[in-house]
Every structure is written in C-alpha cells, then in structure tokens.
Amino acid sequence: MSNNLYSLAHKSVAAPANAISKLGNLGSQASSPAQALKTLYTPEQRIRRDATRWTLVQGILAPVQFVVFLISLALVLRYLFNGEGFAIATASIVVKTLVLYAIMITGSIWEREVFGCYLFAPAFFWEDVFSFLVLGLHTGYLIALFAGIGGPREQMLLALAAYASYFVNATQFLLKLRAARRDERIASAAAPSVSGSRA
C-alpha cells in the first residue's frame, strides 16, 4: 500500500513539473527565431562604426555620388537622344568616376576600421564583389575616353552600362543600411527587457 501511495504522489508531482518543462521548451522554441536572427554588426563592430570618422565620410559621399549620378545620367541620356552636350556629359562622367574612386577608397578604410579587413568583410562581401564590376566599368570608360577607343556614342553607352551597375550596387548598400537600422530597432526594443530581467 505504501508503494501505491508513493506512486500516486510521484505522478501527481511529476505531471505539473512535466507541464512546466514543456511550456519552457515551447518558450525557448518561440524565442529561437529571434536569437537565430543574424545581425549585420556585432556590438563591438557597432561601437567601432559609430566611433570612426570614416562613417561620416561615407555618409556624406554616398548621397553626393548619387546626386552626381542623377545629373550625369540626365546629361548622358540627353546626348544619346538628341546628340547634344557631349562635352558636358563627358565631364560629368569623369566627375562621377572620381567620386566613385573616393568612396571606394574611403569605404575600404571604413571597412578596415569596423571589420578588420579592407575588403570582403562577410557582412558586405557581395556588395564589395559587385563594387569591383562597377569600378571596372567606370575605369573602362576612362580608358576608352582617353585612349580614343570607340566613338562618342559607344563611349556613352559604356558609361550607361557603368551607371546601371552602379544603381544595382547602390541598391545593395541601401538594403544593408535598412538591415542595420532594423537590427538597431530590435536591439533597442530588447534592451529594456534585458535590464528588467537583471533587476
């Protein structure tokens, strides 16, 4: 009889314990997607990003380059459609290419400061790969221009191809900027609950 009483007592205690354990497992499974979400920056990289002056340089050069791109694109299309303004369109492409070189050089320095390598940090690997295509097409235009390879129209079409690749690359970086802001929103939302749990 004592064995029966022990068995009943054991079952009555074990059932709620098992239920609590299952609830705990469900809770951990529910939180696992949030924990599995890979952020663009580690906390240390975010601190380095915010501390380096090259972040500001990139923040200035990126919109400047985009404005130069829009103006130059309009001038290139004007020449291709109307045959007017070759000289000013050419000058605008040269300026756009120089700004591209500036943002590529300073961007690699920024990457070194934040991630510890000048290029191909995992967080920006494919952006860097595509940037080389963009750089190659812009440089190809300069070679064609100064070496006299192809006629004016062919040179403008090469510049247009370079601009198409730049637009794709700029979109890649904008998506990464959006991802970084999303990560910061998640981190700031999680901060109160973490500090509350310590109390």
Side-chain angles (χ1 to χ4, degrees):
M1 183 174 178
S2 60
N3 287 338
N4 290 336
L5 288 174
Y6 174 78
S7 177
L8 287 172
H10 178 71
K11 287 178 182 179
S12 63
V13 171
N18 289 335
I20 292 170
S21 176
K22 288 179 182 178
L23 287 174
N25 290 336
L26 288 174
S28 64
Q29 289 173 5
S31 63
S32 61
Q35 292 171 349
L37 182 64
K38 184 173 177 61
T39 58
L40 191 61
Y41 302 95
T42 65
E44 294 79 13
Q45 290 167 350
R46 190 179 294 113
I47 291 169
R48 292 197 294 270
R49 179 203 66 186
D50 295 343
T52 179
R53 62 180 177 176
W54 297 108
T55 299
L56 176 61
V57 171
Q58 291 291 288
I60 293 171
L61 283 177
V64 166
Q65 181 179 210
F66 194 74
V67 170
V68 172
F69 157 73
L70 290 177
I71 295 170
S72 184
L73 177 63
L75 293 171
V76 169
L77 291 175
R78 176 188 172 212
Y79 173 78
L80 288 172
F81 285 117
N82 301 328
E84 299 176 358
F86 175 74
I88 190 170
T90 299
S92 72
I93 300 167
V94 172
V95 171
K96 164 69 174 65
T97 304
L98 293 176
V99 176
L100 175 66
Y101 286 152
I103 201 168
M104 284 289 292
I105 293 169
T106 57
S108 65
I109 297 171
W110 174 86
E111 207 163 318
R112 174 68 176 82
E113 293 276 328
V114 176
F115 297 102
C117 56
Y118 283 105
L119 287 168
F120 306 118
F124 289 93
F125 179 82
W126 290 111
E127 288 77 10
D128 287 348
V129 168
F130 207 85
S131 291
F132 273 92
L133 173 63
V134 177
L135 195 64
L137 287 170
H138 280 75
T139 303
Y141 169 81
L142 290 183
I143 293 171
L145 175 66
F146 292 112
I149 301 171
R153 185 173 181 83
E154 288 75 20
Q155 292 173 2
M156 289 294 162
L157 288 173
L158 179 56
L160 206 59
Y163 283 6
S165 66
Y166 160 74
F167 184 78
V168 172
N169 198 220
T171 303
Q172 287 179 303
F173 280 105
L174 283 174
L175 290 173
K176 280 297 170 73
L177 177 62
R178 182 180 177 184
R181 289 178 175 172
R182 177 208 63 200
D183 293 345
E184 288 173 4
R185 285 196 302 269
I186 292 172
S188 62
S193 61
V194 171
S195 61
S197 65
R198 290 177 181 176

